[in-house]
Amino acid sequence: MLKKLFQSFRPPAPSVHHIRTTPQVLNSGQHSLQRHQFSRHAVGIVERLQQAGYQAYLVGGCVRDLLLGITPKDFDVATSATPEQVRAEFRNARIIGRRFKLVHVHFGREIIEVATFRAHHPEDDEADSHLSSRHQSGRILRDNVYGTLEDDAQRRDFTINALYYDPVAERILDYANGVHDVRNKLIRLIGDPLQRYQEDPVRMLRAVRFAAKLDFSIERRTVQPIRELATSLRDIPAARLFEESLKLFLSGQAADTFEMLVDLQLFDHLYPASAYALEFNPTYTHRLIRNALVNTDLRVAQGKPVTPAFLFAALLWPALPMRAAHLQAQGLPPIPAIQEAAHELISEQCQRVAIPKRFTLPIKEIWDMQERLPRRTGKRADALLENPRFRAGYDFLLLRESAGEHTDGLGQWWTEYQELPDSERRAMIRDLAGRDEEAAAPRNGRRRRRIGGAEE
Ligand code: ATP
Ligand code: MG
């Protein structure tokens, strides 16, 4: 299908990684884009800016995605007008950003981001909303560095993200052979890969994210330095890595993303404890994380909401038993050992990837549920059913079972319990009590001996 989209376009040799001084121009007959596919508000902004005498284009993800037949997440505009000049054109515009100013133009719930052409600066990192630690550590912040359209294309990350669409002339401007790479399904950095990753290591994660999301390959020169440079993710603020993490795992292609992150050794730097678990308990860890991500992808595909807490709970869970065992060996009883291990694991993880409190609390609750779900006698089962975390806890139990963990049919038991009427639930609890009585004596005996042993 893509071949057809670009049939009238003859691409130049693919070895060119650098920016052309004059762009390849694709007129309306030479590409598949149509003005009406773009947000009418975004198109309106471009028209208005052009009428006011500025250059203005739709740019980045929206152009790339529409060429691929994907519905864009949002629509970005790039222009020669400064933020103040943009604001002067629109009543509903607000300047945002401290270090690098952008304009948000509001149309009800839709926000169109309008950015002034920027020049590439070697020390610049691209995180508009997240100052890097280098910047936070007292270096004088530079003012906005505006540039020409060509400069703007040059500072973008991948060739496929540097396409400019003019909805008035219905032309695409392509400075970096991005259309060629869209057609050949290639993620290719603009410029020298080593240098571009050193400027902003998050580009390594973006390469993986786009490769998975679009089902593209990462071009050889673009992939080659990643394993060696993976450690440079350490310099990235944990808050930015959290946002990237969410994008990586909520893209709808989280399972593939995970495999790629592991393969390129990026996962080790994002989730070190999980990477350790992958090494020491590979089959279970890999299955558990993969199954969680496959489920997530399914939910995204069905338009269902995804709870990031569940995802992070799954990512970290395989590291928990090792940590708890270590604490038990130091003398902590089993339950406090697990709680302490959970606490340590999460706070260490937050040093790398700053998972906010609104997620860490539910992670602990999902894990706590795993301790409580086996204890069902008396009124406990009904109390658990009423617990707002029951559903997540139960789903998590099924996930553990799907990864091969033996729980003595606990998941099946809970599935039936939820489905049955009250009278039959009572019978299930009675059966359980009977079973427990048979098993109680030796088990309690063992437990007592162990605790006694730890206290000696
Ligand atoms: P998505 O569909 O995920 O939003 P996107 O391409 O729009 O994809 P954004 O993160 O929204 O990605 O960034 C918008 C554009 O800004 C990109 O297409 C790219 O041109 C540029 N850009 C973003 N981050 C970087 C970066 N770290 N380095 C260079 N250019 C970047
Ligand atoms: Mg975007």
Side-chain angles (χ1 to χ4, degrees), residues 119-139:
H120 171 79
H121 193 289
E123 289 166 51
D124 219 7
D125 86 37
E126 294 288 341
D128 292 324
S129 52
H130 308 281
L131 300 181
S132 80
S133 50
R134 278 175 295 159
H135 297 127
Q136 284 167 337
S137 64
R139 194 166 65 77

Side-chain angles (χ1 to χ4, degrees), residues 60-61 64-65 73-74 76 126 155-157 161 200 203 206 209-210 213 240 247:
R64 175 199 69 214
D65 287 352
K73 255 188 5 217
D74 43 38
D76 295 328
E126 294 288 341
R155 64 100 184 163
R156 290 183 184 269
D157 47 6
N161 287 349
D200 182 7
R203 289 177 184 144
R206 290 175 58 87
R209 172 153 71 88
F210 293 125
K213 168 178 158 167
R240 189 174 175 208
K247 289 186 191 169

Side-chain angles (χ1 to χ4, degrees), residues 96-135:
I96 59 145
R98 280 179 295 174
R99 194 161 137 267
F100 205 90
K101 290 184 194 162
L102 298 165
V103 182
H104 276 179
V105 188
H106 294 252
F107 300 89
R109 274 211 250 141
E110 191 181 15
I111 298 175
I112 308 291
E113 193 166 288
V114 183
T116 305
F117 295 151
R118 269 164 78 170
H120 171 79
H121 193 289
E123 289 166 51
D124 219 7
D125 86 37
E126 294 288 341
D128 292 324
S129 52
H130 308 281
L131 300 181
S132 80
S133 50
R134 278 175 295 159
H135 297 127

Side-chain angles (χ1 to χ4, degrees), residues 4 56 64 84 118 120 149 162 180 226 232 261 265 275 283 306 319 329 341-342:
K4 232 170 137 197
R64 175 199 69 214
E84 289 74 17
R118 269 164 78 170
H120 171 79
L149 172 55
H180 173 276
I226 293 184
S232 59
L261 288 175
Q265 293 165 17
T283 312
V306 174

